[in-house]
Amino acid sequence: MNSHSIPRWRIGAVAAVAVLGLAACAPGSSTAGSTTPAAPTTAAPSSSAATSSATGTAGSGSGSGSSSEGQSSSPAGSSSSAPSSAAEPAITTDPVTLTVWDQEVRGGQNEQMKQLNDAFMKKYPNVKITRNSQSFDDLATTLRLALTDNEAPDVVQANNGRNTMGAFVTAGQLLPLNTYADKYGWTDRFPQSVLQYSTYSEDGKTFGTGNIYGLPQVGEVVGVYYNKKKLKALKLETPKTWEEFEAALAAAKAAGEIPIELGNLDKWPAGHVFGPIQGQFVAADQITDLGLGNAGASWKTPENEAAAAKLADWVSKGYFNEGPNGTDYDAAWQALTKDQGVFLIGGSWLAADLEKAMKDNIGFFAPPPPAGKTVATTGGTGLPFAVTKSSKNPDVAAAYIDFITNDAAMEVLAKTGNLPVNRTAELAPKSGVQAEVFAAFGEVTTKGALLPYLDYATPTAGDVLGQSLQDLIAAQVDPAEFTQQLEDDYAAFVDGN
């Protein structure tokens, strides 16, 4: 979590992702339905509305925070303007129901999907979008089964890593999108540094090169949110170095505050705490190799053990809330909105919700590096949207993905509090926590290192990392045992790949 990652971005964003180096693979076999993208059946793609700018998208559009199922087909009465793209291949004008599964359930994330879906249906009145929106964890569970069904969704959001998109590619469950990339000019719109995160070789063994299997909408960066009033009450400034950040944690603890809110019930959230810590101790190229499952790195280094020891040290000093391993992720960030806790280490995707609840009392900064070093933290692109091999409407599905990721869609994303993967610097807000998130992303991508999510590495990395972090936080393993568990998983994958 993606997050993902952390997103793209022409200017600031682009440079950021470029730091990472991935590998990739491609699908292969077939599954139900046709395999190859069918040629446009009929004619007429765009309607009149199609060419209007995305800027004026229906004032926060339809409803609010729904989470799933059927979105009304008719954009009827909607004032949403439809994002446009330059060359737009024709799609069928026959009635089509397009099933889309996403994990955009939070406020700003859900809002942008509603607006863009409404605009797409307004542009193509013959298309009805049936949306199934689930939490990140629920989608990870249900998607595996859904893709084996003859009635699989047309478009799905799949985590970039080897355990999800990589596995789907290997199983031949996703459609390679190279043909559509050429038609819509995706390789011109997105830099390779972004596309590599949804690119795999045909056998699924190589991550970062090969066929394109999806496109992301947003960029992601993991940083530190803080309660401005509480920091001020502690008579502290926003930390500029790692040493100042740790001093702030100690000061918060001494004052009786909860220094860091953490909800690690689902195991993956602690990875967003460990990643930024690791970035202060381990060279970026080594973390990148570990995160992408490339050969040549090792978890068994003094630097990785030092990073694990630092997390364990924070636990022993009581820097986290009571029982972080039993605390729900949403409960943790919501606690910050209720004046519980001073800091929260989390991704850019939380900015919209935190700002909505805390107004101008919420701040954000990239994890500050130790004095004399450059900034480095976890990030990347958001979960890419992919077309399933079983889709009966691959042309419409590809047109939909193009529509929700084009330049105009980036404006909708920015206006709804998301970090667009392209045009990031151009669309940055003037003030507020969103402006700080955009700035942090630009800083990391242009002056530092954007480090991959560690659960990308192997098909089992998510489970191993999550369990190992829970064990480390619970003091059931020490730093050496922690790194050994990760090394065992990494080495076994690299040796057998």
Side-chain angles (χ1 to χ4, degrees), residues 268-421:
W268 58 264
H272 298 171
V273 176
F274 178 74
I277 294 175
Q278 186 187 30
Q280 315 313 316
F281 289 87
V282 184
D285 60 343
Q286 293 180 38
I287 296 175
T288 299
D289 282 341
L290 290 173
L292 300 183
N294 294 331
S298 173
W299 277 97
K300 294 303 294 179
T301 66
E303 293 81 8
N304 277 307
E305 285 196 22
K310 177 58 66 180
L311 177 57
D313 180 54
W314 284 6
V315 174
S316 67
K317 289 179 176 176
Y319 285 176
F320 296 103
N321 48 290
E322 185 70 24
N325 281 343
T327 302
D328 180 75
Y329 179 71
D330 286 339
W333 69 258
Q334 289 166 359
L336 195 72
T337 70
K338 300 170 184 173
D339 279 340
Q340 300 171 23
V342 180
F343 298 103
L344 173 81
I345 299 178
S348 47
W349 53 88
L350 291 173
D353 288 334
L354 287 169
E355 186 171 46
K356 182 177 181 180
M358 301 176 71
K359 310 302 179 189
D360 59 0
N361 189 34
I362 184 70
F364 181 88
F365 58 88
K373 294 190 176 181
T374 56
V375 63
T377 189
T378 305
T381 71
L383 269 60
F385 286 81
V387 179
T388 66
K389 210 66 159 293
S390 299
S391 173
K392 297 178 176 58
N393 307 290
D395 291 344
V396 179
Y400 173 77
I401 291 177
D402 177 76
F403 188 86
I404 64 171
T405 60
N406 67 20
D407 283 353
M410 295 297 110
E411 295 182 29
V412 176
L413 287 158
K415 289 181 177 179
T416 49
N418 299 280
L419 182 62
V421 70

Side-chain angles (χ1 to χ4, degrees), residues 80-163:
S80 298
S81 301
S84 63
S85 58
E88 297 181 340
I91 63 172
T92 181
T93 54
D94 294 337
V96 170
T97 295
L98 192 72
T99 304
V100 177
W101 283 28
D102 68 62
Q103 55 96 52
E104 307 297 320
V105 296
R106 294 195 171 83
Q109 297 172 317
N110 180 57
E111 184 56 37
Q112 62 90 7
M113 288 304 302
K114 291 169 67 69
Q115 291 191 24
L116 291 173
N117 284 354
D118 283 347
F120 185 79
M121 290 187 287
K122 184 173 183 179
K123 178 177 181 178
Y124 300 103
N126 62 309
V127 178
K128 173 184 178 180
I129 294 174
T130 298
R131 181 184 175 206
N132 184 324
S133 189
Q134 309 174 41
S135 71
F136 175 84
D137 292 306
D138 289 345
L139 185 64
T141 300
T142 59
L143 194 53
R144 295 178 192 283
L145 182 60
L147 290 185
T148 64
D149 193 280
N150 287 334
E151 298 301 318
D154 296 289
V155 176
V156 298
Q157 244 183 317
N159 188 301
N160 319 56
R162 291 180 184 273
N163 68 336

Side-chain angles (χ1 to χ4, degrees), residues 113-291:
M113 288 304 302
K114 291 169 67 69
Q115 291 191 24
L116 291 173
N117 284 354
D118 283 347
F120 185 79
M121 290 187 287
K122 184 173 183 179
K123 178 177 181 178
Y124 300 103
N126 62 309
V127 178
K128 173 184 178 180
I129 294 174
T130 298
R131 181 184 175 206
N132 184 324
S133 189
Q134 309 174 41
S135 71
F136 175 84
D137 292 306
D138 289 345
L139 185 64
T141 300
T142 59
L143 194 53
R144 295 178 192 283
L145 182 60
L147 290 185
T148 64
D149 193 280
N150 287 334
E151 298 301 318
D154 296 289
V155 176
V156 298
Q157 244 183 317
N159 188 301
N160 319 56
R162 291 180 184 273
N163 68 336
T164 306
M165 178 172 277
F168 297 158
V169 168
T170 301
Q173 294 171 329
L174 297 182
L175 193 68
L177 303 177
N178 298 28
T179 302
Y180 295 114
D182 292 340
K183 288 181 177 179
Y184 288 102
W186 292 345
T187 54
D188 292 330
R189 183 193 307 165
F190 291 86
Q192 176 57 26
S193 56
V194 169
L195 292 177
Q196 65 181 350
Y197 283 109
S198 50
T199 304
Y200 278 88
S201 61
E202 188 162 353
D203 58 8
K205 289 188 174 182
T206 306
F207 184 13
T209 60
N211 295 334
I212 297 171
Y213 286 96
L215 290 181
Q217 289 183 298
V218 298
E220 296 174 355
V221 62
V222 175
V224 184
Y225 291 97
Y226 64 100
N227 184 313
K228 290 184 177 179
K229 291 180 180 176
K230 283 189 174 291
L231 199 64
K232 184 177 181 180
L234 292 169
K235 302 185 185 308
L236 296 173
E237 300 291 330
T238 305
K240 297 294 191 297
T241 65
W242 187 254
E243 293 80 1
E244 290 181 5
F245 179 51
E246 290 209 83
L249 297 178
K253 181 64 179 176
E257 297 282 359
I258 298 171
I260 304 175
E261 288 287 353
L262 172 61
N264 194 41
L265 180 62
D266 294 319
K267 301 182 180 180
W268 58 264
H272 298 171
V273 176
F274 178 74
I277 294 175
Q278 186 187 30
Q280 315 313 316
F281 289 87
V282 184
D285 60 343
Q286 293 180 38
I287 296 175
T288 299
D289 282 341
L290 290 173

